[in-house]
Amino acid sequence: MSLPIDFLPTLCDDGTVISNVVGTSISNVAVLVYDGVSPFELGVLHEVWGTDRSYEGLPVMDFAVCTPVPGPVQSQGGYALLVEHDLSRAAEADLVAVPASDETRPIPDAILDTLRAAHARGATILSVCTGAFVLGEAGLLDGRLCTTHWRHTDELAERFPAARVVPEVLYVEDDRILTSAGTAAGIDACLHLWREQFGAAAASAIARRMVVPPQREGGQAQYIRTPVPDCEAETLGPLLVWMTENLKTQHTVESLARTANMSARTFARRFRAETGTTPHAWITRQRVLRAEELLETTDRSVDWIADEVGFGTAAMLRHHFTKVRSVSPQQYRRTFSAVGSHEAQPVG
């Protein structure tokens, strides 16, 4: 008997559900750096938050890189970065971000004080990869869920025993503190914030510009323990594209396996190996993402959208949508429905 994909899903591991409550819109971003900063992760933060995309109708962030003493900051790449802003600039930021850095280096007290003050006044805090160690030193991970690159999760838990380290997930948010794993997971976490603040269309526009997937689920696995057996076999990439183009079809594991010319068992194993999640969780997530865009950009009824994305009924759409976004489709539409506008409005 075929196993339907469209069961009621749990998209994240227990305790790793990302907060989706729309809060104060982010417009001011400060990135904190000191000697030992990773230039690649710093570049990711600039690409997502510091690039002017007003020509696409997206909001432009007031973006700055800050350091305790303005001037040259040595990077892990063996070259210096010239940073013009001191840490006072971070006092106005809605989002304070910490890129990856050498976790063995001492962290300037001024950086730690700035992070504590930012969180105390209500700013969102974001770390990429080993940036989580900086948050840990600031005491911001105590009693909170957090993660980092899979190579460092044990060390993070050992150094900060009060932190609730969640190994292997891509990113996790707890009390306005968003920690992420390696570089790609940092992009996912940033896109999550964009989607949360400005809607699916805005996040998708940035993802297209960066040529990355719109967003992976936070509870998805960071890496695959067992490599795909046949290294010469084609990947499932073309099938994933086909699935997103045919969300309305009621797929099953067996029907997808036939399309991929595999047995159901091999297909399920290969799918998890390549995506880090199950077929039903993946397709459900894609249906929710498509529903978000239709809620934003059309005035179609919820029933029509539910049928169009493959949920079938409005009740099923509401269930899945609320599980992922923590608001109903109608509430989401009231927040993000203005076509061409990406300003978050209060949910009524």
Side-chain angles (χ1 to χ4, degrees), residues 266-335:
T266 299
F267 172 77
R269 184 170 61 249
R270 177 65 64 85
F271 196 96
R272 179 173 283 280
E274 293 196 20
T275 68
T277 189
T278 63
H280 98 279
W282 191 91
I283 191 101
T284 299
R285 180 62 177 170
Q286 300 309 309
R287 286 170 171 162
V288 169
L289 293 177
R290 179 59 179 154
E292 287 177 350
E293 294 191 14
L294 292 173
L295 287 165
E296 289 183 37
T297 59
T298 76
D299 59 0
R300 294 283 193 168
S301 69
V302 173
D303 290 279
W304 184 90
I305 292 173
D307 181 66
E308 182 68 15
V309 303
F311 283 130
T313 66
M316 188 66 73
L317 170 59
R318 279 192 294 270
H319 172 85
H320 290 287
F321 198 94
T322 304
K323 202 171 185 68
V324 172
R325 294 294 286 168
S326 299
V327 296
S328 70
Q330 292 88 344
Q331 289 174 306
Y332 184 88
R333 169 169 270 170
R334 285 199 295 270
T335 303

Side-chain angles (χ1 to χ4, degrees), residues 8 77 133 252 268:
L8 305 185
F133 285 86
T252 67

Side-chain angles (χ1 to χ4, degrees), residues 174-193:
D174 192 333
D175 187 25
R176 291 177 289 104
I177 294 178
L178 183 59
T179 52
S180 62
T183 303
I187 296 174
D188 293 317
C190 289
L191 291 177
H192 157 71
L193 284 177

Side-chain angles (χ1 to χ4, degrees), residues 31-37 42 65-75 79-87 111:
V31 179
L32 309 186
V33 299
Y34 58 96
D35 286 347
V37 63
L42 174 59
V65 179
C66 312
T67 193
V69 180
V73 173
Q74 291 298 318
S75 74
Y79 52 87
L81 308 170
L82 182 60
V83 180
E84 298 180 355
H85 296 278
D86 65 20
L87 296 178
I111 293 279

Side-chain angles (χ1 to χ4, degrees), residues 50-73:
T51 301
D52 184 343
R53 295 186 176 88
S54 56
Y55 61 91
E56 294 187 71
L58 298 177
V60 178
M61 300 293 136
D62 188 354
F63 179 90
V65 179
C66 312
T67 193
V69 180
V73 173

Side-chain angles (χ1 to χ4, degrees), residues 34-195:
Y34 58 96
D35 286 347
V37 63
S38 170
F40 198 98
E41 279 75 10
L42 174 59
V44 164
L45 291 169
H46 175 267
E47 178 67 21
V48 179
W49 299 103
T51 301
D52 184 343
R53 295 186 176 88
S54 56
Y55 61 91
E56 294 187 71
L58 298 177
V60 178
M61 300 293 136
D62 188 354
F63 179 90
V65 179
C66 312
T67 193
V69 180
V73 173
Q74 291 298 318
S75 74
Q76 288 183 5
Y79 52 87
L81 308 170
L82 182 60
V83 180
E84 298 180 355
H85 296 278
D86 65 20
L87 296 178
S88 64
R89 169 62 179 73
E92 10 179 293
D94 309 307
L95 171 64
V96 177
V98 182
S101 60
D102 183 349
E103 73 279 9
T104 65
R105 283 178 177 261
I107 303 167
D109 289 339
I111 293 279
L112 303 178
D113 291 340
T114 298
L115 285 168
R116 295 182 190 113
H119 186 259
R121 66 178 170 78
T124 298
I125 311 295
L126 166 67
S127 70
V128 180
C129 195
T130 53
F133 285 86
V134 182
L135 273 55
E137 289 289 351
L140 297 183
L141 301 184
D142 291 355
R144 296 190 175 98
L145 299 169
C146 59
T147 196
T148 188
H149 192 286
W150 60 267
R151 292 181 61 185
H152 302 288
T153 51
D154 288 345
E155 182 184 356
L156 187 68
E158 182 178 345
R159 284 178 55 176
F160 308 108
R164 300 166 59 193
V165 179
V166 185
E168 300 181 6
V169 298
L170 296 177
Y171 57 90
V172 59
E173 183 175 17
D174 192 333
D175 187 25
R176 291 177 289 104
I177 294 178
L178 183 59
T179 52
S180 62
T183 303
I187 296 174
D188 293 317
C190 289
L191 291 177
H192 157 71
L193 284 177
W194 266 92
R195 182 176 295 273

Side-chain angles (χ1 to χ4, degrees), residues 196-220:
E196 178 182 83
Q197 293 289 321
F198 305 107
S204 295
I206 292 175
R208 285 193 300 271
R209 182 69 177 177
M210 294 179 67
V211 197
V212 297
Q215 184 195 349
R216 292 179 294 175
E217 184 63 32
Q220 192 168 312

